[in-house]
Amino acid sequence: MLSNAAAGMEEPVDALLVNSPPPIRLKDAERVAGACYPGYVQCAPLSGERDMNFRISRADGESLTLKFINGAESLDETRMQIAVLKHLEARRRGMGPVRAPHHQPADAAGLTTEYSDIRPGCDDGSSAQDWLDFHVPDVAGPVRVRAYGYLLGQTGTAMSAGPQSWHAVGRAAAQLDAQLADFEHPAAHRVFLWDACQVARVRPMLGAVDSADERGRIAAYLDVFEQDVMPALAALPCQIIHNDLSPSNILVNAAGTDLAGILDFGDMVHAPRIAEIAIAASYQMTATGNPLDVLSAVVAGYESVSPLTPQERRHVLDLVLARLVQRMAIPSWRALRFPGNGAYILRSRAAATALFNELYDEWSQGAR
């Protein structure tokens, strides 16, 4: 890891950006699965940026994701992610074809002295636990562990590029937001660097962006955002949103034209609902053609479920650029500190940079 002096940048507040994933081995995951998730006998590692994830499976193919949580994640944030899966499970019939994983409690009834390194996460007298504490040698404090359903399907990278698919992305975002409209949790009101409305917090990271021209454009954008956009956003309809409907976090149907599942609720924030649209659209707008046509199709899909106000529509593009700026600056900064995981961290930076450069002139000349 580079020192601050070597990098020439200030350290961010967000500990999740600089805290390494817990040092969990395959045999550790197998041990926890065997002790607390009876019948899940097969174990395989999964990719992840902040946490250590494993897929555990039964002989019949039913699978769970076993997540060993980054030590910088607060207990309230873990509780929020568990609570939202329970919330969506209770409302599943209203979500149409879009699924979310179910929360899977651990069975702590069999934790004998043989498993002194595994403890229930909360002492409520129940054998079913929402999370576990796993004690790892040479790690200060226990590593929190939870599990949820592993959804089968094609990842969002298989989404076809076309108006039908873009409309489907917007429609699914609106369906999800409708299910989240009555969900509330204090952890969603956190200061969070991946909140598009807090994009100005990336300023100390701009030194990690290679191009001086791009750094200048980002700085100019942030000036306008802070002066003009932030005050307007405060007056728009807000709720808890998923906040990261990227291809990594969606599953699509066999034809690649519709969403079949939504994953990873770890970035949830309380924000204007148009941020959900802007973030989802930003990942689809790299398709060949006019990116503003893509944005229009995503917005139309959202409005097929939940109409927007004129004030909301006006600021969608502002928040598209906000997410692109985040996708340029934050991964660039993190890759310097975690070079061993750089390929995964930087997987979408080039596409975000190209799209930002394409949109910036139109935005600055009045497209917004």
Side-chain angles (χ1 to χ4, degrees):
M1 181 181 295
L2 295 179
S3 68
N4 290 344
M9 291 169 282
E10 300 175 19
E11 193 79 7
V13 174
D14 306 67
L16 276 170
L17 293 177
V18 295
N19 203 55
S20 298
I24 302 300
R25 302 159 296 182
L26 180 63
K27 68 179 183 179
D28 296 324
E30 291 172 338
R31 179 172 175 79
V32 171
C36 298
Y37 298 92
Y40 290 89
V41 295
Q42 300 174 342
C43 187
L46 297 171
S47 62
E49 187 170 340
R50 300 188 299 227
D51 309 315
M52 289 295 289
N53 304 314
F54 299 85
R55 178 182 178 181
I56 57 175
S57 304
R58 299 191 315 217
D60 63 4
E62 185 74 18
S63 297
L64 299 173
T65 297
L66 189 63
K67 178 178 286 292
F68 292 80
I69 298 167
N70 192 298
E73 180 176 295
S74 71
L75 182 55
D76 277 349
E77 289 170 310
T78 298
R79 285 174 168 154
M80 175 175 67
Q81 293 175 60
I82 293 170
V84 76
L85 296 187
K86 293 179 178 180
H87 175 90
L88 293 174
E89 177 73 10
R91 289 157 176 74
R92 182 171 56 182
R93 291 185 179 182
M95 282 192 70
V98 181
R99 300 172 294 155
H102 70 277
H103 168 64
Q104 180 65 51
D107 184 354
L111 290 180
T112 63
T113 54
E114 178 187 355
Y115 297 104
S116 60
D117 53 344
I118 308 172
R119 287 285 181 266
C122 54
D123 185 11
D124 61 1
S126 171
S127 63
Q129 298 291 323
D130 282 341
W131 71 89
L132 301 164
D133 287 336
F134 181 56
H135 293 265
V136 183
D138 302 322
V139 174
V143 175
R144 207 173 300 132
V145 189
R146 65 183 180 94
Y148 50 89
Y150 182 91
L151 298 184
L152 295 173
Q154 298 188 104
T155 65
T157 55
M159 175 72 77
S160 62
Q164 179 181 350
S165 302
W166 303 325
H167 190 278
V169 169
R171 183 177 66 247
Q175 289 172 337
L176 177 60
D177 283 355
Q179 295 298 313
L180 293 177
D182 62 342
F183 178 69
E184 185 53 65
H185 198 283
H189 297 264
R190 58 189 165 166
V191 175
F192 188 55
L193 198 62
W194 281 106
D195 181 347
C197 298
Q198 299 177 31
V199 65
R201 296 183 65 235
V202 306
R203 281 192 190 271
M205 298 179 167
L206 295 188
V209 176
D210 293 335
S211 167
D213 181 60
E214 286 162 9
R215 290 197 300 271
R217 286 183 165 199
I218 292 173
Y221 163 79
L222 293 177
D223 289 343
V224 174
F225 187 90
E226 289 185 287
Q227 179 177 341
D228 296 338
V229 179
M230 286 182 65
L233 294 178
L236 300 182
C238 293
Q239 64 167 83
I240 293 179
I241 63 171
H242 180 281
N243 193 45
D244 192 18
L245 293 178
S246 67
S248 299
N249 293 332
I250 62 176
L251 300 174
V252 300
N253 63 2
T257 57
D258 205 351
L259 272 70
I262 293 176
L263 311 173
D264 195 350
F265 289 76
D267 282 4
M268 286 186 300
V269 293
H270 189 272
R273 60 178 182 166
I274 58 161
E276 192 86 280
I277 305 169
I279 290 163
S282 74
Y283 291 95
Q284 303 297 324
M285 292 167 71
T286 54
T288 302
N290 185 347
L292 295 181
D293 290 342
V294 180
L295 180 59
S296 294
V298 174
V299 170
Y302 194 98
E303 290 204 281
S304 71
V305 176
S306 299
L308 301 172
T309 67
Q311 292 78 12
E312 287 179 293
R313 293 191 205 98
R314 180 187 176 195
H315 294 290
V316 173
L317 185 59
D318 295 324
L319 287 172
V320 169
L321 268 72
R323 177 43 60 101
L324 294 176
V325 166
Q326 291 172 318
R327 289 168 58 193
M328 294 164 70
I330 299 173
S332 297
W333 190 93
R334 293 197 73 240
L336 292 177
R337 283 146 180 82
F338 298 102
N341 200 26
Y344 184 83
I345 293 171
L346 295 172
R347 63 194 182 280
S348 71
R349 183 185 64 176
T353 300
L355 182 57
F356 176 81
N357 289 333
E358 183 176 357
L359 291 175
Y360 179 83
D361 288 338
E362 289 187 73
W363 172 84
S364 62
Q365 293 169 13
R368 60 185 295 265

